[in-house]
Amino acid sequence: EVQLVASGGGLVQPGRSLRLSCAASGFSFDDYGMHWVRQAPGKGLEWVSGISWNSGSIAYADSVKGRFTMSRDNAKNSLYLQMNSLRAEDTAFYYCAKDKGGEITPQAGGGWFDPWGQGTLVTVSS
Amino acid sequence: DIQMTQSPSSLSASVRDRVTVTCQASQDISNYLNWYQQKPGKAPKLLISDASNLETGVPSRFSGSGSGTDFTFTISSLQPEDFATYYCQQYDNLPFTFGPGTKVDIK
């Protein structure tokens, strides 16, 4: 069974940093692209970032570009999101999700989110 | 960015009702559209891919149709476990974008 377990969320002050992790199991992690999707409490879904199987393609939403860095360690079956210069508007549940194939760009057939992890809550507040 | 709209934003329905949700893209996305179900406190779940392809294990009362800019999601006979919020999502272009969601609750 595919399992994705996100961790690392918490309360952080504006301008500070936080690193999220996602532990994957139940599938060949190094064969698949991965994504982070967030959801502010009571709001809709926003794609944040995606990374291809070999980290050759990494993409970001404009709202986080230059502040967030997505990475992966295939040897550890783990995904990361380094979040710097956090803002109040970054407050959300952050979900990791698996793509259907190794690539994450639409041209290469990426852009699916299935399945999703349980989410970890990031609260940015003073 | 491709903007996704959904209607209605919410609806109230009874068990065994037929429910239809529409999703519109701001430009042609062919059939590069997914539908997700999200229950309170849970992560979303992929129900339909490529606009009309039912994912493995998803009940056949769920269906999707459409291409280009206009899409429809239907529950043929609403069951108690179907009360949730439904989102469409395009994967034709980066950034991937979602509709605002349609909340289906009990009448």
Side-chain angles (χ1 to χ4, degrees):
Chain A
E1 179 193 4
V2 173
Q3 276 208 313
L4 298 170
V5 179
S7 61
L11 174 63
V12 61
Q13 293 179 327
R16 304 297 291 265
S17 299
L18 205 60
R19 189 197 197 204
L20 305 184
S21 299
C22 175
S25 61
F27 66 104
S28 297
F29 181 71
D30 54 7
D31 282 342
Y32 290 92
M34 298 293 295
H35 300 271
W36 288 99
V37 179
R38 69 184 180 183
Q39 184 173 37
K43 302 298 183 182
L45 300 166
E46 179 188 18
W47 173 80
V48 172
S49 183
I51 188 168
S52 64
W53 67 280
N54 63 351
S55 304
S57 285
I58 306 176
Y60 300 94
D62 284 348
S63 58
V64 306
K65 201 173 293 183
R67 300 187 299 123
F68 289 11
T69 301
M70 188 175 183
S71 62
R72 65 190 296 161
D73 185 338
N74 287 345
K76 295 183 177 179
N77 287 352
S78 292
L79 185 70
Y80 306 103
L81 186 68
Q82 177 66 43
M83 304 186 295
N84 298 334
S85 303
L86 281 161
R87 305 167 179 167
E89 54 265 37
D90 295 319
T91 294
F93 288 93
Y94 284 74
Y95 296 98
C96 52
K98 171 181 163 292
D99 210 316
K100 69 173 178 179
E103 300 296 335
I104 54 98
T105 59
Q107 297 82 353
W112 289 31
F113 313 120
D114 178 48
W116 303 50
Q118 90 289 3
T120 187
L121 178 61
V122 173
T123 303
V124 184
S125 174
S126 54
Chain B
D1 297 2
I2 297 176
Q3 308 302 317
M4 306 299 293
T5 57
Q6 283 182 240
S7 62
S9 56
S10 65
L11 64 91
S12 295
S14 300
V15 172
R16 291 182 295 280
D17 280 355
R18 182 181 182 87
V19 167
T20 299
V21 178
T22 63
C23 174
Q24 188 168 58
S26 60
Q27 66 187 64
D28 189 339
I29 59 169
S30 184
N31 67 331
Y32 298 134
L33 185 101
N34 290 334
W35 288 97
Y36 299 85
Q37 175 193 65
Q38 186 178 32
K39 296 181 180 179
K42 301 294 186 183
K45 174 187 174 184
L46 178 64
L47 298 182
I48 290 172
S49 60
D50 295 335
S52 60
N53 182 42
L54 201 65
E55 290 298 294
T56 302
V58 175
S60 58
R61 62 182 180 272
F62 295 99
S63 65
S65 65
S67 68
T69 60
D70 296 301
F71 302 86
T72 300
F73 171 81
T74 300
I75 308 172
S76 60
S77 177
L78 195 67
Q79 298 301 300
E81 60 268 30
D82 300 338
F83 291 97
T85 300
Y86 295 87
Y87 295 93
C88 60
Q89 175 245 331
Q90 67 80 20
Y91 53 100
D92 181 63
N93 259 311
L94 281 164
F96 305 119
T97 48
F98 293 85
T102 296
K103 184 177 181 181
V104 177
D105 60 21
I106 302 170
K107 182 185 281 186

